[in-house]
Amino acid sequence: MDRKVVIGLLLLGWVLLVSAFHFQQFVGPLMRLLGRG
Amino acid sequence: MLALAWSAACVVAAYGYGAALARALRVRFEGSSERLLLSATLGLGVLSLLVLGIGLSGVLRAWVLWVALGGGGALAVLQWPGLLRRSSPQRGAPRLRLALMSAFGLCAVANVLGALAPPSFIDALYYHLLGPKLHVAAGAVVEIPWIWQTYQPVAVEMLYTLGMALDGPGLACVLHALLGLFAAGGAGLLAKALAGPRAAWLAALIAYGTAMIAWESTSGFVELGVAAFGTFCLYALLQWGRARARGWLMLAALFGGFAASCKLPGVVIPLLGGAVIVYLCVRARSGARATAGALLGFGAVAFLVVAPWYLRAFVWTGNPVYPFLPGLFGANAEYADLWVNLGHYGTGRGLLDFVLAPWRLVTAGDLFERAQFLSPIPLLLGPVILWRARHVGERQWLVAFAAAYFVSWFASAHVARYLVPLAPLLAALCADALLALWDEGSRLWRICAVAAAGPALLMGVASTLVYDAPLAKVALGRESETAYLTRTAWHYGLYRRLTAELPAHAKLLTSLGGTYYLDRPHVGMKPRGFKAGAEALARRILDGQFTHVLVQAGEQEAAVLACGAPVKLLWHHEDVLIQSRSFGGGIPHKVALFAVDGGVGRALKPGWGPAAPAP
């Protein structure tokens, strides 16, 4: 596989992984804000 | 809303002082945005020193401050033609730029409106705004022995003092919010210097569009001061590294000195700035003499700026960095206590904790007091930023600066907002990395750029608006200040009750913090004061000429009762202390009020302040 594709896939994986763990912190407060917590 | 007009006057005066100083240093600005941002920020630093001088001279009156502002205004009139020079034209996608500018503008309006809400965050009520309120009431910068934080360099609090004396807490907080806007402007200038004009607004929004900046802008903190002064210190060093014009070096020194003037840990900025100077000189093979000259010049000017603060603390306590370095300047009780408080943030101080800290900050923010409010983009783009810094050059020393600052943060209290001064620099590096990914041309890499920046920016802007909404509501008069403060400010109901029930000449000894809304003369006492024994406590109460004692129910109440005859329990008051202004939650709290028998306070002069004189 092209080196750039490998780097791109690795970077995308990292971005998605960190984003998932980061944004899950807002689920609870958001639910509370919407009155469902 | 008068506060907004006053804040404009303050910015004009600050611009006047800053532009005159830059002119004296023969700094050549490239365009109007660079001139305006650097001059106004520098001028705010100058104003903080002027207010300190006025306050220490005991003439802290509104008319004296008007004269100080008038002087800056006159200088601004003389300097205004410089603002007409255009900045280099913006290139790139105009729609994207418009979207970034709109989002930035939205956050700026929300944050400034939020800053106009009455102060309610505990740290501000405890000292950031309480100190300025006491200074204004006393007509001088006075010693506040029971709050160790007030012995630090407190340049931002001098701007708060200026705001309180001219208008009120709204203006005070808006001045700090403006420092946040200037810091974001600094991120834009840094990004422009690194990656061209396209990067400027991107960096500004990455730095500014976060709930952390909303929290900082609306809560009466000081980190936005360190961020603004620190970022322009770096920017000036960057320009000095390129052109070697001495004016830029001196400008960097002034900004470094002002960054150190905002709080004790701010000294890291000029210290690391010194390391940057050595690095730049070695790289340019400037020779030992030129290196020493640049370093000495930078260090001397930066020290001169911050020295009045260290001198003030030394005169009052014998320790210029009170309460730190007790081994060098003598033991003090505060030092152990403050680490009990600050030590419980974060996960630990081991090597693994250090390595994992960036990950934990972004994914487990509550451990660091709301680190989830920080932008995750620097971590998302961390690999790209490091890759781009692999060659010797500006990116490399900027990344090294950020890393060294992070190490200094890890060595101190693990509180997320103490990282705010790094946000503009990281945002500039992120904008540079994003444009590199985009310009490479591969669709996959562009997807990476969008995935890294898009959701985080949207979330940042949305959370800024959500955070500021309840504050803007009260600022716009849609909710009464009393209702808002009862809901959000610790002990507000209690302090209103005390102000209503106690005579104007009452003088309280209290163990409660955050006494900003307690409009009666009072002196604070730390919890350790109640463990010194009944006799010592009774002597403290009687010698201090207190009429009342306000303490927490339980251990402290029992300690006061043990004093016997001089005190009599008047009432208990139950409170719920708010956990989050946006999301609610509460901590039950009960306090006890005692009257001091013997009428020792009867002859006290009516008035406000920690040192109400006894006859």
Side-chain angles (χ1 to χ4, degrees), chain B residues 2 25 77 122 142 159 196 307 316 381 554 565:
Chain B
L2 188 64
L25 294 171
V77 170
I122 184 62
V142 289
L159 296 178
W316 280 346
L381 292 174

Side-chain angles (χ1 to χ4, degrees), chain B residues 203-227:
Chain B
L205 186 62
I206 293 172
Y208 193 75
T210 67
M212 181 59 80
I213 299 297
W215 183 28
E216 277 277 344
S217 299
T218 58
S219 300
F221 292 141
V222 299
E223 281 76 22
L224 295 178
V226 190

Side-chain angles (χ1 to χ4, degrees), chain B residues 344-383:
Chain B
H344 73 261
Y345 294 103
T347 55
R349 296 182 172 275
L351 185 62
L352 191 63
D353 295 306
F354 175 70
V355 174
L356 290 177
W359 169 267
R360 286 172 172 163
L361 277 162
V362 169
T363 61
D366 278 334
L367 295 168
F368 304 88
E369 201 191 15
R370 305 182 182 181
Q372 66 271 37
F373 282 12
L374 291 165
S375 173
I377 300 176
L379 184 65
L380 298 174
L381 292 174

Side-chain angles (χ1 to χ4, degrees), chain A residues 3-27 29-30 32-33, chain B residues 359 362-366 372 374 376 379-380 383-384 387 437 440 444-445 447-448 451-452 455-456 459 466 582-583:
Chain A
R3 190 165 148 259
K4 282 188 178 175
V5 175
V6 174
I7 292 171
L9 287 173
L10 283 173
L11 185 60
L12 190 60
W14 169 252
V15 167
L16 294 177
L17 178 78
V18 178
S19 295
F21 277 93
H22 174 68
F23 289 121
Q24 56 85 24
Q25 297 172 100
F26 295 92
V27 175
L30 197 66
R32 258 186 290 158
L33 201 68
Chain B
W359 169 267
V362 169
T363 61
D366 278 334
Q372 66 271 37
L374 291 165
L379 184 65
L380 298 174
V384 186
W387 175 252
L437 279 177
E440 195 276 339
L444 183 58
W445 285 28
I447 291 172
C448 287
M459 188 66 179
V466 168
S582 301
F583 301 118

Side-chain angles (χ1 to χ4, degrees), chain B residues 6-27:
Chain B
W6 270 117
S7 67
C10 291
V11 170
V12 170
Y15 172 76
Y17 283 122
L21 203 49
R23 190 188 173 95
L25 294 171
R26 296 182 184 173
V27 175

Side-chain angles (χ1 to χ4, degrees), chain B residues 321-485:
Chain B
V321 291
Y322 181 84
F324 296 93
L325 302 182
L328 200 59
F329 296 104
N332 65 80
E334 294 288 358
Y335 185 70
D337 278 3
L338 76 93
W339 279 110
V340 170
N341 183 27
L342 294 175
H344 73 261
Y345 294 103
T347 55
R349 296 182 172 275
L351 185 62
L352 191 63
D353 295 306
F354 175 70
V355 174
L356 290 177
W359 169 267
R360 286 172 172 163
L361 277 162
V362 169
T363 61
D366 278 334
L367 295 168
F368 304 88
E369 201 191 15
R370 305 182 182 181
Q372 66 271 37
F373 282 12
L374 291 165
S375 173
I377 300 176
L379 184 65
L380 298 174
L381 292 174
V384 186
I385 292 170
L386 290 176
W387 175 252
R388 286 183 64 72
R390 69 193 184 281
H391 300 304
V392 172
E394 287 169 348
R395 288 186 188 90
Q396 195 172 69
W397 71 254
L398 286 170
V399 168
F401 185 100
Y405 192 94
F406 190 80
V407 169
S408 80
W409 172 84
F410 190 80
S412 67
H414 296 176
V415 179
R417 73 188 137 91
Y418 298 169
L419 283 170
V420 164
L422 260 192
L425 167 60
L426 293 179
L429 293 167
C430 286
D432 175 59
L434 281 168
L435 286 182
L437 279 177
W438 190 263
D439 290 344
E440 195 276 339
S442 143
R443 181 184 288 181
L444 183 58
W445 285 28
R446 286 188 170 188
I447 291 172
C448 287
V450 173
L457 282 178
L458 281 175
M459 188 66 179
V461 173
S463 52
T464 296
L465 299 179
V466 168
Y467 189 89
D468 285 333
L471 291 93
K473 200 173 152 190
V474 67
L476 293 171
R478 304 278 301 276
E479 182 181 9
S480 78
E481 291 199 357
T482 305
Y484 168 77
L485 288 170

Side-chain angles (χ1 to χ4, degrees), chain B residues 469-522:
Chain B
L471 291 93
K473 200 173 152 190
V474 67
L476 293 171
R478 304 278 301 276
E479 182 181 9
S480 78
E481 291 199 357
T482 305
Y484 168 77
L485 288 170
T486 305
R487 197 163 53 75
T488 57
W490 281 21
H491 306 305
Y492 181 75
L494 169 68
Y495 293 150
R496 290 293 93 189
R497 180 180 176 186
L498 286 166
T499 306
E501 291 184 13
L502 301 186
H505 67 265
K507 184 184 176 190
L508 288 94
L509 178 68
T510 177
S511 67
L512 302 189
T515 50
Y516 179 83
Y517 289 108
L518 177 55
D519 286 328
R520 288 289 177 270
H522 59 274

